[in-house]
Amino acid sequence: MTGKLLRIGMVGYPTFGGSGVVATELGMALAELGHSVHFITYSQPVRLNKVSKNIRFHEVNVSDYPLFVYPPYELVLASKMVDVVRYEQLDILHVHYAIPHASAAYMAKKILQDEGINIPVVTTLHGTDITLLGKDDSFKPVITFAINHSNRVTAVSQSLKEDTERFFDTKIPIEVIPNFIQFRDQCDIWRKQCRNELVVGDEKLIVHTSNFRPVKRILDVMEIFRLIREQVNCKLVMVGDGPDRYRAEQFARENGLSESVYFVGNVKEPEEILAGADLFLLPSESESFGLAALEAMALGVPVVSSNTGGLPEVNKEGISGGLCEVGDVRGMADKSIHILRHFAQFSQGARETASRFDLPIVLNQYLNLYYQSI
Ligand code: GMT
């Protein structure tokens, strides 16, 4: 895609969550093409690991005034967007996650309109903003309004588009632009390093990464692992942190698995562990896309997942791995054992399936959208 170089405001969560990862990776890729990318959020995005003349980070700082029982982040964010659009002469704001980014962007847009500045807003919906928060009546009017007053709205899967249209009274089209992956050359080196460190002999390595929230069903991960271990010599690496970590650690202790499960916490470069894996588990209750599964597949790691939400759009049964109903831990363990015994075939299938989400393909879709919006 050719066109003028754009000045883009990228707004998202700076954390390990998928929406923040997508916003950051997209911004870095756009900067590599020469576009100026301005990240606007409350702390340095964790995946922002590149120094570039085309990237700036604008921190949103909420003052700790005693009157504020709930610090008004959304207002400060809107003010920061106004400031950055004005000063950096941005062409477009791309906001990831409806709450509070899309609603704050609407306010910024209106303030700027008063000054004769027209800033288009692209909103990308990521999942929990629709599937969990969207069901909560206390957010619904704001999410609906923010969607309907964005210039363009994208969802990361067909499933999320359908959920959005089902839960909200949408007045504008929701366009599907899937998440993407950048294929890495260092895969073989990482695999060797990781396996040298973590496995012995023909042991298999299984990995799960997430925010360990209830929606990820990490106790299912533990139970699937326990069942696999009855037939296959293997270890499990649990990457991430969150509310269910303690329960999963307890499960490992009670089932004599402490020596074979590594809880490694949040990791900035998960690829270095993922590349060493023989299998990735994602038995989530709900998953709009499953970026973590795609990250594994791109490194040649097959995936066993639930068949919820957007996962069937990413993980292909019998090719890149296997899918079962949510909670079917026996089914997931059986598929895992089969895949571990036919790793080479599934590894190739995983890589090939992931190639549909290669970064340049998806980047062009976003750029097209930006050029149509300005
Ligand atoms: O998975 C999470 O709980 C984090 C959440 C987020 O918003 O950061 O992830 C959502 O967005 C990701 C990126 O688009 C998707 O890959 C995840 O599937 C989606 N999570 C859920 O729908 C639960």
Side-chain angles (χ1 to χ4, degrees), residues 13 29 40 55 148 156 166 174 217 222 251 266 289 337:
Y13 285 108
I40 307 173
I55 296 179
N148 287 333
V156 297
R166 196 166 50 249
I174 313 290
R217 296 183 70 103
M222 302 302 297
F251 182 101
N266 282 320
F289 183 89
I337 292 163

Side-chain angles (χ1 to χ4, degrees), residues 13 15-23 96-97 124-132 155-157 160 177-179 209-213 215-216 282 284-294 309-311 314:
Y13 285 108
T15 54
F16 288 96
S19 65
V21 170
V22 170
H96 295 259
Y97 213 85
T124 291
L125 306 172
H126 280 275
T128 40
D129 44 355
I130 300 305
T131 52
L132 295 182
V156 297
S157 64
L160 184 60
I177 299 188
N179 288 333
T209 75
S210 77
N211 50 28
F212 291 15
R213 296 199 185 128
V215 71
K216 302 295 174 181
L282 195 62
S284 308
E285 180 87 38
S286 139
E287 203 70 68
S288 69
F289 183 89
L291 183 62
L294 179 62
L311 281 171
V314 179

Side-chain angles (χ1 to χ4, degrees), residues 136-281:
D136 183 337
D137 282 344
S138 50
F139 288 117
K140 208 163 187 169
V142 175
I143 298 181
T144 312
F145 184 87
I147 289 174
N148 287 333
H149 287 81
S150 299
N151 292 71
R152 303 287 282 264
V153 178
T154 74
V156 297
S157 64
Q158 180 64 25
S159 152
L160 184 60
K161 169 188 161 75
E162 286 164 18
D163 280 346
T164 308
E165 287 167 346
R166 196 166 50 249
F167 298 150
F168 298 93
D169 184 14
T170 52
K171 304 264 190 264
I172 68 168
I174 313 290
E175 301 164 65
V176 177
I177 299 188
N179 288 333
F180 53 85
I181 192 73
Q182 189 157 22
F183 282 81
R184 313 277 184 183
D185 298 332
Q186 308 93 313
C187 187
D188 292 342
I189 302 169
W190 288 336
R191 184 164 176 86
K192 214 181 228 163
Q193 281 170 351
C194 173
R195 297 186 74 81
N196 275 344
E197 191 60 36
L198 298 181
V199 297
V200 183
D202 67 349
E203 243 178 358
K204 304 290 182 194
L205 191 65
I206 300 173
V207 175
H208 168 80
T209 75
S210 77
N211 50 28
F212 291 15
R213 296 199 185 128
V215 71
K216 302 295 174 181
R217 296 183 70 103
I218 64 169
L219 285 182
D220 283 7
V221 174
M222 302 302 297
E223 176 61 10
I224 297 164
F225 175 67
R226 193 188 68 76
L227 292 169
I228 298 172
R229 255 180 73 87
E230 289 176 352
Q231 294 185 45
V232 179
N233 183 17
C234 55
K235 288 210 171 101
L236 171 66
V237 184
M238 296 289 282
V239 182
D241 206 349
D244 283 348
R245 176 176 175 153
Y246 176 75
R247 289 174 68 209
E249 282 174 338
Q250 269 312 102
F251 182 101
R253 286 184 186 177
E254 284 161 11
N255 288 276
L257 297 173
S258 296
E259 291 298 308
S260 26
V261 183
Y262 300 114
F263 288 90
V264 297
N266 282 320
V267 171
K268 277 196 176 183
E269 312 281 349
E271 310 83 34
E272 295 176 24
I273 296 175
L274 274 175
D278 299 295
L279 181 73
F280 184 80
L281 291 176

Side-chain angles (χ1 to χ4, degrees), residues 10 21-30 94 96 180 363 366 370:
M10 195 66 78
V21 170
V22 170
T24 311
E25 297 281 353
L26 176 63
M28 290 194 294
L30 289 163
H94 187 174
H96 295 259
F180 53 85
L363 202 56
Y366 275 122
Y370 294 166

